Amino acid sequence: MPSALPPDEDDELAEGCYINGRWMQGGLAPWHPTDDTRVQESLTAAGLESTDLLLELGCGDGKICCAAAKVFGCRAVGVELDEAMVQVACSRLADFPERLQALVEIRHGDLLDKAALWTEDPPTCVTMALMPDHYDKLEPLLEGYVSAGVKLIVFHWELKGEHWKQRLVRDGNGWWLYHQPLETRGLRC
């Protein structure tokens, strides 16, 4: 069980954060709900369809996964480090009809563990609302997704750097949609 106090180190926030009032070693962001308008606008901008698979990095209460299934009819997988939030997300999902429950999977796991992110089919859209202090840890993962043509939605803090600026295709109030166009992925006709 996580301690209520951070580790006694010089750079205590480098290896975790407070989540639900408790220190979570390895945590990349405290849970903060993303408002419904941002969720709806960003998922609409991504053009989600029933054939898509959304992967939510740090799914918290599962709101984005559930919205993807309910509004767009697509499959969604949410990965969350905090076991208490996994339970909250599962409770939220339990309130949905069985046909929608079948589209969503909530997992307890660490985003830095590739096994926790594995899906039988590759995701077509990835979302995250994590602290920018930890973006460097996620950069190779995010780069891999976007280079493969996956749409990336980031909430609260935009990604920095010229290579991300070039991939920014749309933004809204507190969200950014990144995508690498087909012609820049090395594919030629």
Side-chain angles (χ1 to χ4, degrees):
M1 172 172 251
S3 167
L5 299 174
D8 188 20
E9 299 174 9
D10 292 336
D11 189 13
E12 65 187 35
L13 298 180
E15 300 301 325
C17 66
Y18 285 97
I19 299 176
N20 295 319
R22 300 193 66 77
W23 179 258
M24 177 69 66
Q25 192 69 18
L28 299 179
W31 177 71
H32 179 77
T34 303
D35 67 79
D36 294 340
T37 302
R38 280 187 184 145
V39 171
Q40 182 67 33
E41 286 177 358
S42 62
L43 296 182
T44 299
L48 289 183
E49 299 177 356
S50 62
T51 56
D52 284 309
L53 173 61
L54 179 134
L55 176 61
E56 186 176 5
L57 307 177
C59 69
D61 65 355
K63 176 189 280 191
I64 295 170
C65 287
C66 290
K70 182 178 180 181
V71 177
F72 301 95
C74 72
R75 296 173 298 141
V77 174
V79 181
E80 174 60 47
L81 181 64
D82 184 354
E83 290 182 42
M85 292 311 299
V86 170
Q87 292 174 0
V88 169
C90 289
S91 293
R92 176 186 286 267
L93 183 58
D95 291 338
F96 282 81
E98 283 185 32
R99 66 179 177 77
L100 293 178
Q101 288 181 31
L103 295 174
V104 178
E105 177 186 351
I106 304 296
R107 297 179 184 167
H108 175 251
D110 186 340
L111 303 181
L112 302 177
D113 176 5
K114 288 183 180 183
L117 302 177
W118 184 87
T119 55
E120 188 171 325
D121 297 317
T124 55
C125 183
V126 172
T127 67
M128 68 175 214
L130 303 171
M131 299 295 289
D133 303 6
H134 301 293
Y135 283 1
D136 61 324
K137 293 178 184 178
L138 297 169
E139 180 84 18
L141 176 69
L142 301 178
E143 181 65 38
Y145 283 133
V146 174
S147 294
V150 175
K151 295 173 186 174
L152 173 64
I153 301 170
V154 177
F155 294 98
H156 310 295
W157 296 280
E158 67 185 309
L159 296 172
K160 301 293 185 188
E162 190 60 34
H163 65 292
W164 291 112
K165 187 182 285 186
Q166 292 173 359
R167 295 166 170 172
L168 180 65
V169 294
R170 185 125 181 240
D171 63 349
N173 181 17
W175 60 268
W176 295 262
L177 173 61
Y178 301 90
H179 188 238
Q180 186 166 330
L182 184 62
E183 62 272 7
T184 63
R185 283 188 252 146
L187 302 176
R188 302 178 199 270
C189 295

